[in-house]
Each structure stands twice: as C-alpha cells, then as structure tokens.
Amino acid sequence: MLTNKYRFYFSRDLPAAFISHLDMTRLFERLFRRLNIKLKFTQGFNPHPKIVFILPMPVGLCSKEEIFEVECEQELDISIIENFNKILPEGLKILKVELATDKIQVSDMYYQCFVEAEEEFCKYFDEFMKKNPAIKKEKEGKVTVKKIFDFILSYECEKEEKAIKISFHINVLNGSYIKPEDILREFSQEYNIECKIVRVERVKVNYKRVI
Amino acid sequence: MIVKDKVFKLLYDVEKPGRYIGNEINMVKKDPEKVDIRFAFCFPDVYEIGMSNLGLKILYHLLNEREDVYCERAFMPWVDMQKKMKKEGIKLFSLETFTELDRFDIIGFSLSYEMSYTNVLKMLELGGLPLESQKREKGMPIVIAGGPCTYNPEPLWEFIDVFVIGEGEEVILEIIDLYKRYKFSNMTKEEFLHECAAIEGCYVPSLYNVEYNPDGTIKSIVPVSENVPARVKKRIVKDLDTSYFPTKMITPLIEVVHDRITLEIFRGCARGCRFCQAGIIYRPVRFRKAEKVLQYAKELVENCGCNEISLVSLSTSDYPNIDELAREILKFAEDKKVNISLPSLRLDTTSLDLLKEVEKVRKPTLTFAPEAGTQRLRDVINKNIKEEDIYSTVRLAFERGFQNIKLYFMLGLPLEKDEDVMGIYTIAKNIREIYKELGFKKRIRITVSTSFFVPKPHTPFQWEAQDSIENMQRKMKLLKENLKKVKDVEYSWHDFYLSKLEAVLSRGDRRLSKVIKRAVDLGCQFDDWGEFFDFSKWEKTFQQENIDWRFYSDRKRSFDEVLPWDIIDTGVTKEFLKRECLLAYEGKTTSSCFDRCTGCGVASFRGGICVDK
Ligand code: SF4
C-alpha cells in the first residue's frame, strides 16, 4: 500500500522558538486543518495526527533547518508550501516538502550559542572543557551521565561585539546527544560564573539515510 | 522594539515563555502610528486563563474592526517573569507590539472573579501607573473595567475610572468615540468622566458620594450632580443574531485552559436558581439562531483549525433542538476530526445519547450539579433536579460504560441542616449501590466536590449570612467522615478561607479599596492560586484598616438596608429578589421563564424570550 508520508523541512526563529514541542505538534495539526489537508490519525480512544519531528526542539531553540514527517490521507501538491507560509506564525517557515520514501536519522549537528557573560568567559570555559567533564541529567528519576567528548566533535568560544559566541559540533549516537545548554549550565554552576543565554541555534543538521 | 528585545532575552529563563510572545493565529497586526486610540485589554490572570475567556476574544476583535483603534492584550506575568522584568526595568507590556502599559490611551480590565482584584492593582503597578484614578491625569491612560464583577464595582472604586456595566459590545464603542473627543481637544479629565457617566451602562464611581450609618451600613449613595444618573442601568445586546461575533478568532500557540473554539449559542438562563448571579445578571435569555451557530462553527474551524468546538451557554439543554444542532455540526466536524463538547448539559436519557454521539474523545464523565443533598433544600434554592432522575441517568450511564461520575454540591446554603449535608452522602452511596446492583465489579470513580455558598449581589440570597468558618469546617468534616464509608468515592472541598474572602470581596463596599491596596503592598497576588493565597495576610490588612471582615461575609442584612451595589440596575427588581427570597424560606419553587414569566422586571429591556411571551 502506498502511504502518503511527507517530509517537511522548516526553519524556526524567534518568537516561535518559544513554543514547546507538544505545542508545535498541535500548531501544525491546526494549520493542516485550516488548509483542508486530511491527515492520518492514530486509532483508539484519543486519536491524534501522525506528525513526527525528527529531533524534538527544546523551548527557546532556533534552527535553520528541521524536519517533521507527516502522514496524509491524500497526496500533497508542492504549492502547499506557499499556502503554509502564508498562515504560519512569525518565526516559522516551510522550506521544502518531499515524499518520504526512506528513513532518515540525524548523524551530527552544528550549534551556536550566544551568551552574555564576563570578559574572561572563554578562558574559563576552555579550562572547563579540557577536563572533559561529564554531564549528569536527571529525568523522571533516571540519571544519565555523559562524557562531553563522547559527543562533542569540536567547539569554539569567541568573543563577539555584543555577546560571546560558542559553537559546537555535536555527534548523535543512537539518537542521543548532549545539549549545549546543559554544558553551559554545568559550566556556570561549577565555575560560579553567571552566563545568560540570549540565543541558541542549530545552524546545521546532517542526516543519514537508513533502510 | 527595544522592549521586545529585552523581553525575549528574559524568556530563556522563565516558566512557559510561550505566554509572553504573542504572535498567535489571527492576532491582529496594525501600525500603532496609524490609529487614533491605543487600547490595552488587560486580563488579571495568566495568559492561559485569560486566553480561555470568550469575552476577551469578542471585544478584542470588535475593537480591532475599527480602523481608528488598535486593541492589544496584556496578561498578568507569572511571578518569575515579574521579578525578571523588575530587574531589567521593563514595565508590563502588550503582546502585540510590546508597548508598555503607560503608553496606551485606554486600559480595559476584564473582571471575571473577585479573587483577581489584587492582580488588577498589581498589573497597574507593573505598568508603571498610579493606582488611584485621581492620580492619573489627562495624558495618562483612562482605566475602565467590565465583566461580571462590575455588578458590585465598589471594592475597586478608587482605582477604576469607569465601570462598564453589562454586555460591552455597544458601550465600549461609545466610550471610544467620547475618548477621541477628549484626547484631541482640551476637554479635562473631569469633563470626560462626566460625559462618560451620561452613557448608559457607564458607572463613574468618583461621581457618587457614599455616606455611612454609625453601625457601618450605608446611609446613602448620591450622585455629585443632577446630570449624573442616580442608578446605572446595565447594557445588553438585544439580538444575538445581529450582534458581533468574531469567526477569525485569535487562537493561542500554547496550550491554554480551555484549548478549543468556544461558540456561544445563547445568553442568559431561564432557570432562576436562587444562589446564582449569572442567572440574574445575564437575563433575559437570548438565543442565537441555529443557522448562525452552524455558519459560525464552520468558519471558526476554517479560521482557527482547532480540534474541538465547544457550544457554550449557561444551560445547554435549554437550547431548542440542541440535539439537531449538535448533530448538524457533527456532520462536517467529524470529517475534519473536530470534536464537539457540550458543557452545562442537563443530564437525562436524551442528552446521554447525544453526549455519547458527539463527545467522542473525552473520557466519558457524567457531571451532575444537584447543589444540595435533599429535595427540601433543592426547593429552597430552586434547583430543579430530582434525585430519581440522577439515579435513572446513572443507571443508563453505567450500562453504557461510563465509569466516572462527578457530583457538585454547595455547603452552607441558607436553611441548611445536617440532614441536607448527609443527603449528599446518601446520593453518593445510592449511586455506588446502583453500580453494584447492576453486577459490575470493576472500580469506578465517584467524585463529590463541595464548594461553600457565597452570597452574591443581585441574587435572592444577597441578604444572607455566609456560614462561619467553624460551621464550614464542621459540615465538611461530617460529610468527609461519612463519605469515607462509601467505596470508590473521592471527596474534595473548596478552601474555606478562599470562599470567605470571595464573600467579603463580592459584597464589599468602598472601604475595601484601601484593604485591597494594602493587601497588594503586603504581597498578595494570584489569590485564586492555592500556592499563593494567604488569608493571614488579608486578616492583617483588615486589622490595619480597622475593619472586621465578618461584617461583609457573616452578617445577615435586612431587606431595607442600602446595599453597596444598589446603584447598579440589572433590570431585575429588588421586589422580585425579595419575593424569591421569601419563597425560598417557605421552600416554594418558582418555574422557569420558559414555562411562564414570573415578572422579574427584565422584560423592560425588550429583548430575548421575555418579548416573545
Ligand atoms: S421578565 Fe419574565 S420571562 Fe423575562 S427573564 Fe424575567 S421572569 Fe423570565
């Protein structure tokens, strides 16, 4: 059976970056409904549309290119992009739509974080990173510990005019990775340095096709 | 723009930043430079609550229909955001253009519940404005307020320039026209307020003097001049079919409390429960034609894309042929995966079938609000629900697979005896018995919730005393002990002190405005939120102002006492309220307006069902 599964490429910037992951799903459901596009829904008591984001986006994250896949009851025309972009809230933009005939996974990604912090920030940050610290995270009682350099391929800290820019190249292993925000948080706690995040952006995400 | 940038920097570090970004579907975008009047619609609670309010949405779009007005919105920021704003020196801002409150022409508050009064003051404060109306000169925003709480506006009298009494759709436009004349001429604020008072439905509190008797009751409320009306008559929209209703409704990006399209199918309620304020102030009943409802429903789904549409009113079953209407809507809604919800439906066999058919998503929960535990007391309050009907509906519901039953009651109603409290227990017990008799074995959930009776202005019980805290506590315990014996029953009760404060504020007079201000100074805000409400702070403020709060809550008034809200004319006569109160004492019921007119007085408005009779 032929399934109409589509891959939507989109970008996200402020203010839409402050919409949570769940709210994003609901927002797209509503937009599809407004455009009179019938989506496939799950069966059962509380049916919901089959919209899947390849990478969930934390609140506040901007991105140059993200992907969600959606199953439709119908075939989509490419002109859908235009209609979509007309009604999307500020910050969201559909870039490309394609039929999803294969499966993709994230292989690695590039981040840029901008923080407001003291002059010497980069010096201390380098010092911190050299130690290859571990990031501990607790979620619903489960503690995960990740060594930074198992996931960070490279990073760079530089002072710009208004803020400090920290770039990361992050590896994704079995769907898991380290969030730059968590690294920054860990650092600012350990060094007791106040660092105020003013922007976090995924500038590039690389995918690999899988069968 | 600068404010916007500053705000966005704060958002990485606050709870639910989506509250502060605006930019929703169907948000109105205008060039603020190109309008004459900038209006800030303020809701004194967080975004998720404010954006669930239908009145806000109606007025927001209505005002923005006008080319010369830009209506924007502001909500109460959560405490974490307040702190950050203070640190960065950002005043309360609008979500449309991130303009700070003190730069608006008019600020309009929606007063939906008394417990948000401190938030009103807090929002003015956060907006960088003087709290007292007197201290706001020409050039500073005019502060107006509307919504159900304005039916007793007195506790906020010092802070609000003009109260809009009744339905705001027409009045607000008249106020704006007047404001335009004021803004672009050398009219003084005083002259403006005087002219405002001449608009029907506008109450300008500063134009009235209140005198008190030695015992603290009111001696008189007198206008300062002859041109100011002695009583302010509420405004209504006579015909819902020709009145404004937005179908390109602003739709939040983040989940709000009522995350669905709300479509009003009628206004008012004909039942006349004696404790219910809404039943009086929204009289007369006015229906919206089914064709209109259907058309709006379609447009709303197209424009908002929500997956649920809720047909709202005070008593949904009273809409003629509600089944037919709901099924008509279902025809196109089903195809678009849109659900229909029918709140405030009276439950019987027919509505049960309807519910099953239309409300597909939600876990089937049956909700009953008998309000009182015995027929005697239900007659006192004129609540027309028979115990047998509950049981027969419950039986049918169990057979259809419903496993959640919710029951709402009030404790502390006038004439209540311990038998009535025990009656609640009996109902819960019998429902559990029925389930057992039907041979079901699985666990079910019967939730019993009680709130405490709050005597409300403009109701037949407006003169009644509220139970003392001790009595409330005793009755709650009595019920709790007994309900423990029934299997599968969960009992929850409303905070005593919260009900107390609600009673004080809803029947308060002008002397309370000082108390509210002091409470804000002491840090009271979000009083409706359990985690913030602190009655001891309120007690302290009352003490400091040398006022006994029991005077407002626990005291029974005589029929001839001048009440603070006597200044407001709902159309329902005091004679009618008194008659209803006396009937209550005799346990005699009054029929609904659908059966016959009982002459409440509101027919003088010449609208809705009263005219058809
Ligand atoms: S005037 Fe009569 S019909 Fe109209 S609301 Fe009053 S009692 Fe009901």
Side-chain angles (χ1 to χ4, degrees), chain B residues 101-153:
Chain B
L101 224 53
D102 55 355
R103 295 195 37 213
F104 282 85
D105 292 303
I106 306 178
I107 290 173
F109 278 100
S110 165
L111 303 178
S112 301
Y113 28 87
E114 289 82 3
M115 304 309 284
S116 68
Y117 285 175
T118 47
N119 282 13
V120 171
L121 268 59
K122 197 78 202 172
M123 283 179 85
L124 287 174
E125 190 186 296
L126 293 170
L129 290 163
L131 300 185
E132 288 89 355
S133 153
Q134 262 202 331
K135 292 191 190 150
R136 290 188 301 263
E137 295 154 7
K138 182 163 180 169
M140 289 183 186
I142 289 283
V143 179
I144 66 176
C149 287
T150 62
Y151 283 91
N152 177 22

Side-chain angles (χ1 to χ4, degrees), chain A residues 14-20 22-24 26-27 29-31 33-36 38-41 45-47 59-62 73 87 89-91 116 194 196-200, chain B residues 4 8-13 17-18 21 23-26 29 87-88 248 251-256 259-260 301-307 335-338 360-364:
Chain A
L14 302 179
F18 289 108
I19 304 173
S20 75
L22 272 178
D23 290 333
M24 283 285 278
R26 194 186 30 229
L27 172 64
E29 177 191 343
R30 288 181 177 173
L31 295 172
R33 191 174 284 111
R34 287 185 65 198
L35 292 174
N36 264 318
K38 280 202 184 126
L39 301 183
K40 263 217 173 73
F41 275 69
F45 210 39
N46 191 358
V59 175
L61 178 71
C62 300
E73 291 274 4
I87 58 169
E90 200 186 321
E116 279 173 4
E194 203 186 329
K196 199 165 140 205
I197 296 178
V198 289
R199 188 179 169 86
V200 189
Chain B
K4 186 175 178 176
F8 274 35
K9 277 191 195 170
L10 306 183
L11 298 186
Y12 290 92
D13 240 356
I21 60 174
N23 197 29
E24 299 93 331
I25 297 175
N26 299 327
K29 288 184 187 155
K87 203 171 153 210
E88 298 298 317
K248 238 187 142 200
T251 309
L253 301 177
I254 66 165
E255 191 169 8
V256 297
D259 199 28
R260 55 187 90 105
V301 171
E302 300 251 308
N303 294 332
C304 307
C306 293
N307 66 347
D335 185 49
K336 288 182 163 278
K337 298 274 193 249
V338 173
K360 293 211 169 118
V361 246
R362 219 158 311 155
K363 261 199 187 156

Side-chain angles (χ1 to χ4, degrees), chain B residues 238-478:
Chain B
K238 283 207 181 93
D239 181 2
L240 281 196
D241 292 321
T242 52
S243 87
Y244 177 79
F245 194 81
T247 53
K248 238 187 142 200
M249 214 183 261
I250 185 162
T251 309
L253 301 177
I254 66 165
E255 191 169 8
V256 297
V257 178
H258 298 298
D259 199 28
R260 55 187 90 105
I261 297 164
T262 38
L263 174 48
E264 193 185 23
I265 53 172
F266 71 95
R267 266 188 208 170
C269 174
R271 301 269 159 193
C273 296
R274 290 175 180 137
F275 56 83
C276 178
Q277 191 189 43
I280 299 287
I281 63 177
Y282 294 119
R283 279 179 184 221
V285 168
R286 286 146 292 157
F287 292 111
R288 179 166 271 143
K289 277 207 194 79
E291 297 99 86
K292 278 271 173 186
V293 175
L294 203 61
Q295 178 204 330
Y296 289 165
K298 280 186 187 154
E299 287 175 26
L300 282 163
V301 171
E302 300 251 308
N303 294 332
C304 307
C306 293
N307 66 347
E308 185 171 341
I309 185 159
S310 175
L311 302 181
V312 297
S313 68
L314 288 170
S315 157
T316 304
S317 310
D318 286 337
Y319 188 89
N321 296 324
I322 183 70
D323 310 38
E324 210 178 294
L325 177 63
R327 287 193 177 98
E328 274 302 311
I329 294 177
L330 193 67
K331 268 189 209 158
F332 73 86
E334 212 164 26
D335 185 49
K336 288 182 163 278
K337 298 274 193 249
V338 173
N339 308 298
I340 305 176
S341 71
L342 300 162
S344 40
L345 204 63
R346 292 192 152 230
L347 293 176
D348 52 32
T349 343
T350 18
S351 58
L352 208 59
D353 290 337
L354 183 63
L355 264 189
K356 265 264 162 186
E357 220 170 304
V358 299
E359 284 201 24
K360 293 211 169 118
V361 246
R362 219 158 311 155
K363 261 199 187 156
T365 300
L366 274 199
T367 312
F368 295 95
E371 307 292 359
T374 62
Q375 194 56 47
R376 184 196 69 89
L377 198 57
R378 281 195 296 278
D379 286 345
V380 167
I381 61 174
N382 206 36
K383 184 93 202 179
N384 184 19
I385 289 187
K386 300 259 172 303
E387 216 160 303
E388 304 82 72
D389 297 339
I390 298 179
Y391 298 145
S392 58
T393 312
V394 164
R395 184 161 295 153
L396 286 168
F398 284 148
E399 285 166 357
R400 285 167 167 79
F402 285 80
Q403 281 177 345
N404 277 318
I405 312 280
K406 276 193 181 156
L407 299 159
Y408 289 101
F409 295 94
M410 238 183 256
L411 287 178
L413 284 160
L415 275 68
E416 182 184 57
K417 294 182 189 148
D418 284 358
E419 290 107 82
D420 302 303
V421 180
M422 289 301 284
I424 299 174
Y425 152 76
T426 312
I427 292 175
K429 188 186 69 178
N430 288 346
I431 290 178
R432 185 63 184 84
E433 283 295 306
I434 290 170
Y435 187 74
K436 200 173 148 198
E437 272 166 29
L438 288 170
F440 293 112
K441 297 257 148 53
K442 267 208 285 198
R443 286 190 74 93
I444 47 162
R445 233 162 98 166
I446 304 169
T447 327
V448 175
S449 302
T450 59
S451 60
F452 297 99
F453 166 66
V454 175
K456 289 276 187 173
H458 301 288
T459 64
F461 289 157
Q462 62 179 352
W463 296 278
E464 296 303 309
Q466 188 185 41
D467 256 353
S468 64
I469 299 264
E470 296 72 45
N471 245 338
M472 289 180 177
Q473 218 147 11
R474 191 185 61 80
K475 287 175 182 172
M476 181 281 287
K477 276 196 187 133
L478 175 69

